[in-house]
Amino acid sequence: DSHVQYERVGADVTMKCGSMDWDAAVTWMTNGTDIDESHQNGSYLILKKVNLTQSGQYSCYEGSSWHLKYQTSLRVGMPPKEPVLMCRSNNYPKGFYCSWHLPTPTYIPNFFNISVVHGTREMVCEKDTFPKNRCHIRYLQLFSTVKYKVTLTVTNALGKNSTTLTFDEVAIVKPDPPESVVAKPVPNNPRRLEVSWQNPSSWPDPESFPLKFFLRYRPLILDQWQHVELSDGTSHTITDAYAGKEYIIQVAAKDNDIGTWSDWSVAVHATPWTEEPKHLTTEAQITETTSASTSSFMPPPTTKICDKGAVLGSGAVAVCWTAGLVLAAYGVLFI
Amino acid sequence: GDSWGIFTFLCAALCNLPALPALNCTEELGAGQSIQKTYDLTRYLEHQLRTLAGTYLNYLGPPFNEPDFNPPRLARAERVPSATVDLDLWRGLTDNARLAANYRAYSRLLCYLRALDGQAGTAELRHRLGHFCSSLQGLVLSIAGVMSSLGYPLPVGPAGTPAPPGTAAAMAASNDFLKKMDDFWLLKELQTWLWRSAKDFNRLKKKVPPAVVTLRLEARGF
């Protein structure tokens, strides 16, 4: 005869040896070891203030014949505390989901029952296969004045508890964070960073239900964030980045009109474009490594570039002047 | 010389736009701006309503001012128009039907809200209600403006005209608690309509782009 017996932590447990009389001679065993007779009151096994470690298989044998008379599995646990319930619509206007968990473990099996009532109508919350403690509901109507009332009841062998959430359709709207956030430096712009992202894939209809975005960024070395709110578009150029500093950037989303902001997206790092040092270093190295004999043929790089620059400059100026004269002439003709 | 003349004419035309809604060639430009304006107005009203509703519900007292108050909808006269709508139906509404629904709803809501005005408790509350009613009237007119600029007729008939004040008072006066329930539902419907209108006008915004000036130029043969 096999049983399961659930008992509360800290309780005093009395185990009877099946249908045996109180004064029968029996021996109790647990997990292969004898239990001392001091714990027995006649044929009853007394366990005082049980703790979790005392969970296990308990067997009772008749004194002389060693017949197994009774066997039970003792599970020490606790009645459920008030469960934590959360409901959210990350796919408005399709519907919403609710998920739940227990704040502390009970150590014994628990059963959850969820009920959703909308006005007078009872709705079915379809359980998700994964994760387990989650169910979803499809909206039949939009813009409802009547609140939704979700009640979660958790039951186990030692007790029962429940919690209720009541909310308006629009109050629980919270999109998932934006996806594929990318931040890139902008060539030749030491103070810019180009950030782009995508609408969360769970948001079904961004055309009719557009999202607005919140961008935050800071250099790694500082604690203070800078914020930008963007009412449309999925990209933004930061124009006040500190040159050469690595930045951390995140984006959040919200329905344009209702609900709350999403959590922050995954953080991306980027450093603005910095100018590459010129040939200076490489040529300087060459002149240093080559022998003194070549030095007469290769003037020090700095002066060489200066001379080149001077030549170019004068040439460029000459070009500019001629271009200017030509344009002026054309302008006069048109006016 | 020609280009300057055209440019000055355009400037004059654009500046005079708001004052001449009947001007055919500027119809689409006007509608786009009006839709944006109407959208902004619904957001403003929604914000105002939050404060107003809080104050009014406190005036009604418990249980009306409790956050979890979730009474069943009584089968009494469903006089207040409901924003609740089937999702696919809402999606499939024509621009005309969408605008007409908003126009009818706010016209009636305005009327009921005005009735509230005369009975409310403190002077401050009456003042707030009065201010809100003015803003709500602005919304009704704004919607009418959008409809006419798009060439849609304004809805008329029983939906548009207010119920005689006598009947409303007679129905309500029967029970003080029931009257308070009516007030509660009126505010709830108003709040829900403002949520819905933001979405309605978002959809309309997408359908009617704000500026079509270049097309207008080609049409006039420049």
Side-chain angles (χ1 to χ4, degrees):
Chain A
D1 226 10
S2 196
H3 297 89
V4 179
Q5 193 171 342
Y6 293 100
E7 299 288 345
R8 242 180 236 241
V9 169
D12 295 339
V13 179
T14 304
M15 270 193 243
K16 294 191 189 171
C17 186
S19 52
M20 299 287 277
D21 291 332
W22 174 80
D23 54 0
V26 298
T27 312
W28 282 92
M29 286 183 77
T30 177
N31 299 336
T33 48
D34 284 8
I35 300 176
D36 194 78
E37 268 192 29
S38 61
H39 289 110
Q40 275 179 251
N41 176 2
S43 67
Y44 298 171
L45 180 66
I46 313 287
L47 297 171
K48 289 208 179 277
K49 292 199 171 52
V50 289
N51 60 47
L52 294 167
T53 59
Q54 289 172 290
S55 295
Q57 188 89 297
Y58 287 80
S59 319
C60 166
Y61 297 89
E62 188 175 17
S64 45
S65 62
W66 274 99
H67 271 143
L68 176 64
K69 282 300 186 182
Y70 183 75
Q71 208 170 49
T72 185
S73 180
L74 177 69
R75 307 276 180 86
V76 182
M78 300 195 283
K81 290 221 165 93
E82 188 177 330
V84 176
L85 175 66
M86 179 271 279
C87 294
R88 186 178 143 213
S89 175
N90 65 343
N91 61 348
Y92 193 76
K94 273 208 178 134
F96 65 91
Y97 74 85
C98 291
S99 75
W100 55 88
H101 67 271
L102 284 171
T104 50
T106 58
Y107 305 100
I108 58 176
N110 304 299
F111 299 95
F112 295 92
N113 184 27
I114 192 159
S115 92
V116 181
V117 175
H118 183 217
T120 50
R121 186 200 281 143
E122 170 113 27
M123 300 177 81
V124 174
C125 194
E126 291 178 39
K127 290 253 167 94
D128 287 343
T129 41
F130 187 79
K132 261 177 33 191
N133 289 354
R134 196 157 131 161
C135 70
H136 60 271
I137 276 204
R138 296 186 129 246
Y139 283 133
L140 300 169
Q141 293 182 313
L142 274 195
F143 315 118
S144 183
T145 41
V146 181
K147 291 192 198 233
Y148 289 85
K149 185 165 145 173
V150 182
T151 307
L152 175 75
T153 313
V154 55
T155 316
N156 70 18
L158 300 173
K160 183 166 158 164
N161 214 325
S162 71
T163 187
T164 302
L165 273 184
T166 312
F167 52 83
D168 281 313
E169 173 192 310
V170 299
I172 56 164
V173 176
K174 178 178 167 178
D176 285 330
E179 292 171 10
S180 311
V181 184
V182 172
K184 290 191 291 203
V186 179
N188 301 306
N189 275 289
R191 302 204 64 193
R192 288 187 178 215
L193 284 169
E194 212 171 78
V195 191
S196 67
W197 58 89
Q198 281 172 5
N199 286 322
S201 49
S202 52
W203 197 252
D205 192 358
E207 277 291 305
S208 301
F209 296 84
L211 293 169
K212 63 179 174 182
F213 302 97
F214 211 77
L215 190 99
R216 70 173 185 181
Y217 58 97
R218 65 172 172 86
L220 285 180
I221 52 173
L222 294 179
D223 287 330
Q224 192 113 21
W225 292 97
Q226 276 177 273
H227 297 103
V228 183
E229 185 167 328
L230 304 153
S231 53
D232 56 39
T234 53
S235 64
H236 176 74
T237 306
I238 296 166
T239 55
D240 61 350
Y242 291 116
K245 300 286 178 251
E246 187 180 347
Y247 270 77
I248 177 168
I249 299 155
Q250 287 178 298
V251 194
K254 180 183 172 299
D255 175 276
N256 229 354
D257 314 295
I258 56 178
T260 53
W261 286 98
S262 71
D263 291 337
W264 289 108
S265 69
V266 166
V268 292
H269 293 244
T271 310
W273 174 91
T274 45
E275 199 172 321
E276 279 295 313
K278 294 228 187 358
H279 316 293
L280 281 167
T281 29
T282 42
E283 288 194 346
Q285 284 168 355
I286 292 167
T287 51
E288 275 167 23
T289 51
T290 53
S291 57
S293 57
T294 58
S295 60
S296 54
F297 297 107
M298 275 171 60
T302 45
T303 49
K304 180 185 189 181
I305 282 168
C306 277
D307 288 341
K308 252 193 191 163
V311 167
L312 275 173
S314 55
V317 164
V319 168
C320 279
W321 266 109
T322 35
L325 280 169
V326 168
L327 284 171
Y330 271 112
V332 165
L333 275 173
F334 269 99
I335 292 164
Chain B
D2 274 351
S3 51
W4 278 109
I6 293 166
F7 185 62
T8 36
F9 178 86
L10 258 181
C11 269
L14 286 167
C15 288
N16 283 317
L17 261 181
L20 299 165
L23 208 58
N24 285 340
C25 62
T26 54
E27 250 167 43
E28 276 184 49
L29 184 61
Q33 285 178 342
S34 305
I35 289 170
Q36 180 63 47
K37 202 180 84 175
T38 315
Y39 169 83
D40 292 338
L41 207 44
T42 66
R43 305 287 284 123
Y44 169 75
L45 280 164
E46 195 229 312
H47 187 79
Q48 290 298 104
L49 183 62
R50 272 184 241 167
T51 328
L52 176 65
T55 315
Y56 195 82
L57 291 175
N58 272 330
Y59 158 71
L60 291 181
F64 302 100
N65 57 350
E66 280 158 26
D68 285 347
F69 185 49
N70 188 25
R73 201 70 191 265
L74 298 173
R76 281 159 58 74
E78 293 265 341
R79 339 166 279 174
V80 179
S82 181
T84 313
V85 64
D86 174 73
L87 175 53
D88 291 323
L89 207 110
W90 179 80
R91 274 221 172 89
L93 286 173
T94 60
D95 293 348
N96 189 6
R98 197 177 294 276
L99 285 162
N102 274 267
Y103 180 82
R104 277 198 209 97
Y106 288 117
S107 302
R108 284 175 67 187
L109 286 164
L110 178 61
C111 172
Y112 291 126
L113 213 60
R114 280 188 172 139
L116 220 61
D117 200 347
Q119 297 151 27
T122 64
E124 199 225 323
L125 190 55
R126 284 197 293 275
H127 174 78
R128 284 218 190 158
L129 270 170
H131 178 76
F132 190 86
C133 282
S134 306
S135 307
L136 191 55
Q137 176 161 53
L139 177 61
V140 175
L141 290 171
S142 196
I143 299 171
V146 174
M147 291 188 82
S148 72
S149 71
L150 290 174
Y152 299 133
L154 279 184
V156 290
T161 52
T167 51
M171 280 202 291
S174 57
N175 183 315
D176 189 47
F177 182 81
L178 288 177
K179 200 226 162 272
K180 287 184 179 179
M181 279 291 271
D182 287 343
D183 294 352
F184 172 84
W185 282 118
L186 173 62
L187 291 170
K188 211 68 178 74
E189 287 292 2
L190 188 49
Q191 181 181 56
T192 316
W193 260 110
L194 289 166
W195 286 332
R196 172 173 159 174
S197 294
K199 297 308 180 199
D200 278 324
F201 286 100
N202 251 329
R203 253 185 120 79
L204 288 162
K205 257 199 276 187
K206 295 278 156 74
K207 300 258 203 105
V208 183
V212 208
V213 186
T214 47
L215 287 176
R216 294 287 132 230
L217 273 177
E218 281 156 30
R220 291 156 110 245
F222 286 122

